[in-house]
Amino acid sequence: MLAKVDGPAEPELTEEFGVTEYPTLKFFRDGNRTHPEEYTGPREAKGIAEWLKRRVGSSATRLEDEEGARALMDAGDVVVIGFFQDLQDKDVATFLALARDALDVTFGFTDRPQLFQKFGLSKDTVVLFKKFDEGRADFPVEEELGLDLGDLSRFLVIHSMHLVTEFNSQTSRRIFSAKILNHLLLFVNQTLASHRELLAGFREAAPPLRGQVLFVVVDVAANNDHVLRYFGLKAEEAPTLRLVNIETTKKYAPTGGGPISSASVAAFCQTVLSGELKPYFLSQEVPPDWDQRPVKTLVGKNFEQVAFDETKNVFVKFYAPWCSHCREMAPAWEALAEKYRNHEDIIIAELDATANELEAFAVPGFPTLKYFPAGQDRKVRSWGGGSQACLWGWCWSGGDPGAPSGPTPPQIMEYKGSRDLESFSKFLDSGGELPAEEPTAPFQEPLANASMGPREEL
């Protein structure tokens, strides 16, 4: 039975079941009111139905003979079969628990000796069959340790993906959920034969790095402008390679400008993985008149020079050109700069954080306001940074892939007050402090190109 509750109209129910955002889905079984299961599947009809089927019925098909095994393997591009000599073993329960949530993969299991023999197995093994690449990958069960859910999950994610995946709206979530931190991107124009010829060498370099590096092809002739912008590229620069670590968000470009081949791709990956190659950070050119207006224009190339000047108190707005909240506060920011333009020790500045990256820290949303107080040893140029909640041009809010930005050191303050001239002025006049009763800042937009809107918070 499917049902729905109007949360605001039923506050007692929302409190009882810990509902803090909409929509929230919970699954109740056998009248158990105290421990409903949180829904973790996709939010479309087919995915919801499959999630329910794997809980109401079996999450995997029990196989009795070769005919049944072949029929199951023919049913999907990726099929996982658990071969267990004893179906009462705890490893079988672990296998079935994983199958409940891996909705895009078909699962089966068996204890039949003839099937062990047919597929060349002599011990408990989980086998992934696929209709691409090498066709099969085996995960033997450790006799002493048993089947580890985390290890098996990672194995299935890695081996269920193509050695080389073409990026598009259908593959993006699978790419970002693969739990492989290093993504190698080959940018090509698929309409050009000379570019398509590079795919063979790119693919040839992939097998030794499976699990370490995810190989992805980005077609610059398709609708992938957001990916190009994230790496600071133009379509005419293809063919080219970029590597990004999605945990640190550090990006790397090959040096030397040689042709793209299996050898050059492998060498590029090794220089990154070994730490030999330094990452690059996007920056616009410094405008000739960057300091002529009351609001100073900062870019990646002049940010440290200005913000970390120990003789200045620097108040910086990190914004996005498309951000409505940034536009709303722009008049107050201009008025603030005009008010303090004759204060030699105060600088009011702004930086387009969609076109400029900083080694010191990441910007989690827009607008972000940071205050860099004057004083010797009060300004730190680098403190470990942090990851943006954005994965090479695709960003999320509401608990989806991505990571929060790293901590700001105590010397540098993030402004959380109201975005008006009076509040800004109080903040500056008090040396970077707000009165205790000062209201918190209004809504902050997530990063650009959000593929999902923010969930509505209670």
Side-chain angles (χ1 to χ4, degrees), residues 13 78 93-94 103 133 176 204 251 303 354 399-400 414 423 436 440:
L13 286 178
V78 178
T94 300
L103 304 183
D133 294 339
F176 297 135
E204 187 180 334
K251 298 190 285 289
F303 175 80
T354 67
D400 286 279
E414 183 163 351
S423 300
T440 57

Short mmCIF file of all heavy atoms in Angstrom, two decimals, residues 13 78 93-94 103 133 176 204 251 303 354 399-400 414 423 436 440:
data_model
loop_
_atom_site.label_atom_id
_atom_site.label_comp_id
_atom_site.label_asym_id
_atom_site.label_seq_id
_atom_site.Cartn_x
_atom_site.Cartn_y
_atom_site.Cartn_z
N LEU A 13 2.91 13.59 13.73
CA LEU A 13 3.51 12.50 12.96
C LEU A 13 4.93 12.85 12.51
O LEU A 13 5.83 12.01 12.56
CB LEU A 13 2.65 12.17 11.74
CG LEU A 13 1.35 11.41 12.00
CD1 LEU A 13 0.59 11.20 10.70
CD2 LEU A 13 1.63 10.07 12.66
N VAL A 78 24.52 -6.43 -16.79
CA VAL A 78 25.34 -6.77 -15.63
C VAL A 78 24.52 -7.68 -14.72
O VAL A 78 23.45 -7.31 -14.26
CB VAL A 78 25.79 -5.52 -14.84
CG1 VAL A 78 26.60 -5.94 -13.60
CG2 VAL A 78 26.61 -4.60 -15.72
N ALA A 93 23.44 -14.21 3.60
CA ALA A 93 22.65 -13.07 4.11
C ALA A 93 23.31 -11.75 3.74
O ALA A 93 22.64 -10.78 3.38
CB ALA A 93 22.49 -13.19 5.62
N THR A 94 24.63 -11.70 3.83
CA THR A 94 25.36 -10.49 3.44
C THR A 94 25.15 -10.20 1.96
O THR A 94 24.90 -9.05 1.56
CB THR A 94 26.86 -10.67 3.72
OG1 THR A 94 27.05 -10.90 5.11
CG2 THR A 94 27.64 -9.42 3.30
N LEU A 103 20.02 -1.58 -7.17
CA LEU A 103 18.82 -1.74 -8.00
C LEU A 103 19.12 -1.84 -9.49
O LEU A 103 18.28 -2.32 -10.25
CB LEU A 103 17.86 -0.56 -7.74
CG LEU A 103 17.45 -0.35 -6.29
CD1 LEU A 103 16.44 0.79 -6.20
CD2 LEU A 103 16.86 -1.61 -5.68
N ASP A 133 33.50 -5.27 -22.11
CA ASP A 133 34.86 -5.38 -21.60
C ASP A 133 35.28 -6.84 -21.49
O ASP A 133 35.08 -7.61 -22.41
CB ASP A 133 35.00 -4.64 -20.27
CG ASP A 133 34.83 -3.13 -20.44
OD1 ASP A 133 35.00 -2.65 -21.57
OD2 ASP A 133 34.51 -2.44 -19.46
N PHE A 176 29.82 9.51 -10.52
CA PHE A 176 30.12 10.17 -9.26
C PHE A 176 29.91 9.29 -8.04
O PHE A 176 30.43 9.58 -6.97
CB PHE A 176 29.30 11.45 -9.13
CG PHE A 176 29.60 12.47 -10.20
CD1 PHE A 176 28.60 13.14 -10.86
CD2 PHE A 176 30.91 12.73 -10.56
CE1 PHE A 176 28.88 14.06 -11.85
CE2 PHE A 176 31.22 13.65 -11.54
CZ PHE A 176 30.20 14.33 -12.19
N GLU A 204 43.09 1.47 -24.03
CA GLU A 204 44.18 0.52 -23.80
C GLU A 204 44.91 0.81 -22.49
O GLU A 204 45.44 -0.11 -21.84
CB GLU A 204 45.16 0.59 -24.97
CG GLU A 204 46.26 -0.45 -24.94
CD GLU A 204 47.18 -0.34 -26.13
OE1 GLU A 204 46.72 0.17 -27.20
OE2 GLU A 204 48.36 -0.72 -26.01
N LYS A 251 42.86 19.66 -9.68
CA LYS A 251 42.82 19.33 -11.10
C LYS A 251 44.24 19.35 -11.68
O LYS A 251 45.08 20.16 -11.26
CB LYS A 251 41.95 20.35 -11.84
CG LYS A 251 40.50 20.33 -11.38
CD LYS A 251 39.61 21.15 -12.28
CE LYS A 251 39.79 22.63 -12.06
NZ LYS A 251 39.22 23.05 -10.75
N PHE A 303 44.64 37.32 -5.75
CA PHE A 303 43.91 37.17 -4.49
C PHE A 303 44.85 37.18 -3.28
O PHE A 303 44.64 37.93 -2.32
CB PHE A 303 43.11 35.87 -4.50
CG PHE A 303 42.43 35.59 -3.18
CD1 PHE A 303 41.25 36.23 -2.84
CD2 PHE A 303 43.00 34.70 -2.27
CE1 PHE A 303 40.65 35.99 -1.62
CE2 PHE A 303 42.40 34.46 -1.05
CZ PHE A 303 41.22 35.11 -0.71
N THR A 354 33.19 31.30 -9.62
CA THR A 354 32.94 30.30 -10.66
C THR A 354 34.05 30.30 -11.71
O THR A 354 34.17 29.35 -12.48
CB THR A 354 31.60 30.55 -11.36
OG1 THR A 354 31.66 31.77 -12.11
CG2 THR A 354 30.45 30.64 -10.35
N GLY A 399 22.10 16.41 0.39
CA GLY A 399 22.62 15.11 0.78
C GLY A 399 23.10 14.23 -0.35
O GLY A 399 23.33 13.06 -0.15
N ASP A 400 23.25 14.76 -1.54
CA ASP A 400 23.71 13.94 -2.65
C ASP A 400 25.23 14.03 -2.75
O ASP A 400 25.88 14.70 -1.97
CB ASP A 400 23.03 14.40 -3.93
CG ASP A 400 21.59 13.94 -3.96
OD1 ASP A 400 21.37 12.77 -4.29
OD2 ASP A 400 20.71 14.73 -3.63
N GLU A 414 34.31 34.16 8.67
CA GLU A 414 33.23 34.12 7.69
C GLU A 414 32.06 34.92 8.24
O GLU A 414 31.56 34.65 9.34
CB GLU A 414 32.80 32.70 7.39
CG GLU A 414 31.73 32.65 6.30
CD GLU A 414 31.58 31.28 5.68
OE1 GLU A 414 32.41 30.40 5.96
OE2 GLU A 414 30.63 31.11 4.90
N SER A 423 24.64 46.61 8.94
CA SER A 423 25.26 45.44 9.57
C SER A 423 26.70 45.28 9.12
O SER A 423 27.58 44.96 9.93
CB SER A 423 24.46 44.19 9.23
OG SER A 423 23.12 44.29 9.70
N ALA A 436 25.70 40.23 19.66
CA ALA A 436 25.15 38.89 19.89
C ALA A 436 23.77 38.73 19.30
O ALA A 436 23.38 37.65 18.86
CB ALA A 436 25.12 38.59 21.38
N THR A 440 21.20 36.00 11.68
CA THR A 440 22.05 35.26 10.77
C THR A 440 21.74 35.63 9.34
O THR A 440 20.67 36.16 9.03
CB THR A 440 21.86 33.75 10.96
OG1 THR A 440 20.49 33.44 10.77
CG2 THR A 440 22.29 33.33 12.35
#
